Amino acid sequence: MKEAFTTRVEQSGGSVHAGWGDIHNYYTASPSRQETGGRSPRRIADDQLRLLRQRFVDSTGMGEARRLLAEHSTVILHGEPGSGRTAAARVLLYELHRDTGIFRELLPGDEEETPLTDAGLVGAGDRLLLDLAEADGARWWRNRRDLPALRKAVQEQQAHLVVVMPYAGTLESDLQFYRADIEPPPAQEVFRRHLRLHGIPHEEYLQSAPAWDDFLAEQRANEEIADFADRVRRARTAHPARDGFAGWCEQARDARKTWRQEVAALVAERCEVPQRALLITTAMLHGAHADVIHHAAALLLRTLEIPEDRIAPLEGKDLAERLTEISASAGPDGHVRFDKLDFDAAVRAHFWDHLPDLRRLLGVWTARSTELDDPHLTAGLRKDLVERLAHQYLRAGQWKELAAMADGWGTNATTPTRSTAAVHALTPGLEHKRYGGSFRQLVYTWCRDKHLTGHLAYVLLRVCTDVIAPTHPDQAMVRLHHLARRERGATPALDALCELVATSSRLRRRMLDRLTRQSSPSATDTRLFLRICDPVPLTDPGGAPRALVDERYVQECVTSGWREAFAELPQPYWQPYAQRWLHTASDAGDHHDLLLDLLVNAAGRNGGHLAALYSAARAAEPTTTGGAARGVATTDHLLQKISAAQGLRPSAAPSRPVPPRGATP
């Protein structure tokens, strides 16, 4: 392939293209990396696990589980539903955090996932969760059959595996050895742990609370207890001085009611459009400042194309009176809440279920509301608003409609706020237990095939790195690869892909395979290969038994990729990458010869490619770490290998490179 390039950089501080030719870098108004969070998927996963560990209360069986995991790299957790077995599995893996390997959830049976019997499934130091708590008998049998092969790979890679088995599942005698039974922790301690993390002083929650005692009269799952504690927190926030701990617990207990009948009666009584608009606005923006509620309610009326009330401001009802009519009020801080705890959720469900014609308009209004210019409208409140809408779609099983709405927001986004709203709309779907797989498949299709207009590429990049990658890095890698293939100019998807593969040698190996094992790799994939095939991580074993570059399969991928680069890309494009390769070879010690051999083998007997490689080595000499003399020595060694490849086989390296500087071998 022949390409003609000239270099033009239109804006400093952006991406740098190491080639020759027309390079046009276009910078759109997409959010900056600081706005996207700038955190690696590994960091996100570890933060999530650390938060879980803070809330977790050890129970009977955790000590045995830790022992089995430490001694045998595997533990199989068994416990009743609600006992905290899945949380225990995540905590066990978090406690094993090391510099090597990543946390991953295995999804056996998923068409994108590697089979459990594939040795390449496990990376050095990985922390693997196989959650089969909800598996039926057939699925549990299939995965149980593959556990010995998976355990062998885990031990070889110095990784760790936690399996959560079905409560009614059985285990063969050889697997019983790794079983630990998890009992529910003391409910009182779980409750108090959550209250402490919510910032409630212990002198408050140590008081007696009959409503809490009533709640505990039945055996409660850990999730129910955590939810009760959160309701206590919200009751305390709404009425910090009025009721005390016993009163907050009463509200938390009463909030377990659905409030359906009360909401239906209220909606029937408040039949005027402005009243109902204020009611649904307060439910969607529950806890927002009164100014936000006022402006958002007016925006809803405009969205519904309701003529504005022309009554002079001093003639009509003030906001406080209007809020009283819908059983809400503004607290001392100016933030609006319903008088009954969790009444807002019931209002949202009522409007969604009984006014279906309102659903599409609620989506339009939500998008517009996130863009309101109000200092009280924080990023967290925007996120809550979008997620509340998304949860209504998911609750009603309308995941396709939710995806279509997010697609429209991202495709037609004209502001960073709208594209961020699209990310927040997709996130609950991707994290949903039932629909998560469907959303991941949809994101895959969009990354590969969809016309990426507006800020949709940014939206997909965000959900891949922030939502999919922390638990399903392999799937995120594939989606980012498709996005990177389609980039022109700036390369945020490629940058994110490089950051992701840097977290795991296994991911880098898989990525090298994807880029080089095609029958005819594209020029785009060859360019991507040069970024992924970084010699520094390839030669650094980290915590693994050996470096990636020592593996025969990786050597074949590297040779194939460089062969394509020499053949299909102009020298000014690949030369900076070759120079980095040569600089690394100068410092690589045991890998010095291997790195040079891989480049020479890739060039083969092609005199032009060997000559270009030699000239790249000469150009790299002055910038070699340790001084130019070390670079000259590397060039000498490379020339020996080039001569051998051409059948010249010199008996010893000359003191200076031959032929003279400026010539070709």
Side-chain angles (χ1 to χ4, degrees):
M1 181 181 73
K2 304 289 185 183
E3 297 185 37
F5 294 113
T6 59
T7 303
R8 187 176 89 184
V9 180
E10 293 185 337
Q11 178 172 332
S12 63
S15 59
V16 176
H17 186 270
W20 54 283
D22 290 327
I23 303 171
H24 304 277
N25 291 323
Y26 298 99
Y27 296 85
T28 64
S30 59
S32 66
R33 178 151 180 77
Q34 184 176 2
E35 290 173 309
T36 66
R39 297 191 303 161
S40 72
R42 174 171 178 168
R43 173 71 181 277
I44 293 172
D46 287 341
D47 285 351
Q48 294 171 347
L49 293 173
R50 180 170 59 251
L51 180 60
L52 176 63
R53 181 65 187 93
Q54 291 172 349
R55 296 174 175 174
F56 186 77
V57 176
D58 273 13
S59 61
T60 303
M62 282 297 289
E64 176 66 4
R66 289 189 179 97
R67 183 190 68 79
L68 290 170
L69 192 58
E71 294 181 3
H72 305 287
S73 302
T74 300
V75 64
I76 302 173
L77 301 185
H78 178 265
E80 297 180 359
S83 62
R85 52 193 171 160
T86 301
R90 294 173 181 271
V91 167
L92 288 168
L93 292 171
Y94 171 73
E95 292 174 344
L96 293 169
H97 173 76
R98 296 186 299 178
D99 292 335
T100 58
I102 56 177
F103 169 78
R104 297 170 54 212
E105 290 186 39
L106 302 179
L107 296 175
D110 192 300
E111 62 181 16
E112 292 187 71
E113 291 291 311
T114 306
L116 296 183
T117 53
D118 190 328
L121 175 69
V122 185
D126 279 355
R127 295 166 290 155
L128 307 176
L129 170 61
L130 179 56
D131 185 1
L132 297 170
E134 305 300 326
D136 58 23
R139 184 180 170 212
W140 170 236
W141 179 84
R142 289 194 302 270
N143 290 284
R144 191 173 76 240
R145 177 193 57 193
D146 296 337
L147 279 180
L150 177 59
R151 285 197 60 254
K152 182 175 184 295
V154 165
Q155 291 177 325
E156 291 175 348
Q157 293 294 335
Q158 299 179 12
H160 291 85
L161 168 69
V162 178
V163 181
V164 182
M165 64 177 289
Y167 178 60
T170 59
L171 281 175
E172 286 76 11
S173 57
D174 58 326
L175 292 177
Q176 284 281 1
F177 183 76
Y178 307 104
R179 170 173 161 170
D181 291 304
I182 300 297
E183 300 291 336
Q188 190 76 265
E189 182 55 34
V190 174
F191 183 53
R192 291 176 176 177
R193 174 68 62 86
H194 281 274
L195 293 178
R196 284 198 297 271
L197 290 174
H198 288 322
I200 300 178
H202 71 278
E203 58 267 19
E204 294 183 4
Y205 61 72
L206 289 180
Q207 302 173 21
S208 62
W212 166 243
D213 295 335
D214 293 344
F215 179 78
L216 278 187
E218 302 178 26
Q219 184 175 354
R220 301 291 181 179
N222 287 345
E223 290 183 0
E224 291 182 279
I225 298 171
D227 186 54
F228 192 93
D230 184 64
R231 292 198 297 271
V232 170
R233 172 193 64 81
R234 289 186 280 119
R236 181 177 182 269
T237 300
H239 307 291
R242 189 182 73 185
D243 299 323
F245 183 67
W248 301 328
C249 287
E250 287 181 10
Q251 292 182 60
R253 178 196 60 196
D254 294 343
R256 297 182 66 235
K257 302 176 182 178
T258 61
W259 302 119
R260 290 276 179 143
Q261 293 181 347
E262 291 84 349
V263 169
L266 181 62
V267 173
E269 293 172 3
R270 306 296 180 238
C271 56
E272 296 180 11
V273 173
Q275 290 177 318
R276 291 185 174 182
L278 183 61
L279 181 60
I280 185 59
T281 298
T282 302
M284 294 295 292
L285 286 162
H286 198 246
H289 192 275
D291 287 356
V292 176
I293 298 293
H294 172 71
H295 293 133
L299 177 60
L300 179 56
L301 292 176
R302 293 196 297 272
T303 303
L304 297 173
E305 299 182 351
I306 304 298
E308 293 189 30
D309 193 341
R310 297 300 181 182
I311 297 177
L314 292 177
E315 291 183 284
K317 300 175 182 178
D318 64 15
L319 183 59
E321 184 178 358
R322 295 171 58 211
L323 288 172
T324 300
E325 292 176 346
I326 62 170
S327 302
S329 60
D333 58 359
H335 292 260
V336 176
R337 298 177 179 87
F338 287 110
D339 298 333
K340 297 175 181 177
L341 196 63
D342 281 354
F343 199 75
D344 57 307
V347 172
R348 292 193 294 270
H350 179 90
F351 275 87
W352 192 266
D353 293 343
H354 300 293
L355 291 171
D357 292 341
L358 186 64
R359 295 170 186 168
R360 184 189 65 82
L361 292 171
L362 273 179
V364 174
W365 168 79
T366 297
R368 293 176 179 174
S369 295
T370 62
E371 297 175 325
L372 283 172
D373 184 14
D374 190 307
H376 297 292
L377 188 60
T378 63
L381 188 56
R382 291 186 178 97
K383 180 174 181 286
D384 289 343
L385 171 61
V386 174
E387 288 186 345
R388 285 166 180 163
L389 179 67
H391 287 145
Q392 292 306 309
Y393 277 106
L394 295 171
R395 182 183 62 83
Q398 298 168 322
W399 73 269
K400 293 182 180 178
E401 291 82 353
L402 172 60
M405 182 186 71
D407 177 16
W409 288 0
T411 299
N412 301 312
T414 57
T415 65
T417 301
R418 182 67 64 91
S419 55
T420 301
V423 174
H424 293 326
L426 288 172
T427 298
L430 287 163
E431 294 176 341
H432 197 273
K433 183 174 293 187
R434 179 178 178 183
Y435 302 117
S438 299
F439 271 90
R440 288 194 300 273
Q441 182 59 40
L442 188 63
V443 169
Y444 171 81
T445 302
W446 287 355
C447 289
R448 186 189 63 184
D449 301 325
K450 190 173 179 59
H451 185 49
L452 302 178
T453 58
H455 285 191
L456 186 58
Y458 163 77
V459 171
L460 295 174
L461 172 63
R462 279 283 306 274
V463 298
C464 286
T465 57
D466 296 356
V467 187
I468 301 177
T471 52
H472 305 96
D474 296 65
Q475 295 191 19
M477 181 187 73
V478 171
R479 286 151 182 76
L480 288 172
H481 181 200
H482 285 298
L483 283 179
R485 279 172 164 166
R486 306 172 68 183
E487 287 183 319
R488 300 294 181 268
T491 59
L494 176 55
D495 296 339
L497 178 60
C498 291
E499 288 185 14
L500 179 57
V501 300
T503 64
S504 165
S505 58
R506 183 188 61 83
L507 289 177
R508 192 178 298 276
R509 183 191 301 107
R510 283 203 64 191
M511 196 64 232
L512 289 173
D513 175 81
R514 283 182 61 84
L515 293 169
T516 61
R517 290 307 186 184
Q518 308 167 57
S519 57
S520 55
S522 66
T524 299
D525 273 353
T526 301
R527 291 188 178 95
L528 298 182
F529 163 82
L530 293 175
R531 281 285 303 274
I532 298 298
C533 190
D534 188 332
V536 174
L538 285 178
T539 54
D540 180 10
R546 59 178 179 173
L548 271 179
V549 76
D550 291 324
E551 299 178 15
R552 175 67 64 182
Y553 184 75
V554 173
Q555 293 172 15
E556 293 173 357
C557 291
V558 169
T559 301
S560 176
W562 271 110
R563 183 181 300 119
E564 289 294 325
F566 290 144
E568 302 298 334
L569 301 179
Q571 180 178 343
Y573 191 98
W574 58 255
Q575 180 165 312
Y577 298 99
Q579 289 176 342
R580 175 171 173 78
W581 195 273
L582 293 163
H583 288 157
T584 304
S586 299
D587 298 326
D590 294 341
H591 292 110
H592 177 78
D593 278 314
L594 177 57
L595 292 181
L596 298 183
D597 285 338
L598 291 174
L599 289 180
V600 173
N601 291 342
R605 292 181 173 271
N606 188 304
H609 296 165
L610 291 169
L613 178 59
Y614 176 76
S615 68
R618 298 297 293 267
E621 290 176 3
T623 54
T624 301
T625 303
R630 181 177 291 182
V632 169
T634 298
T635 304
D636 289 345
H637 205 173
L638 178 67
L639 181 59
Q640 283 185 280
K641 295 178 180 297
I642 289 175
S643 299
Q646 293 179 313
L648 302 179
R649 302 187 183 280
S651 58
S655 59
R656 290 292 301 163
V658 176
R661 191 174 296 278
T664 58

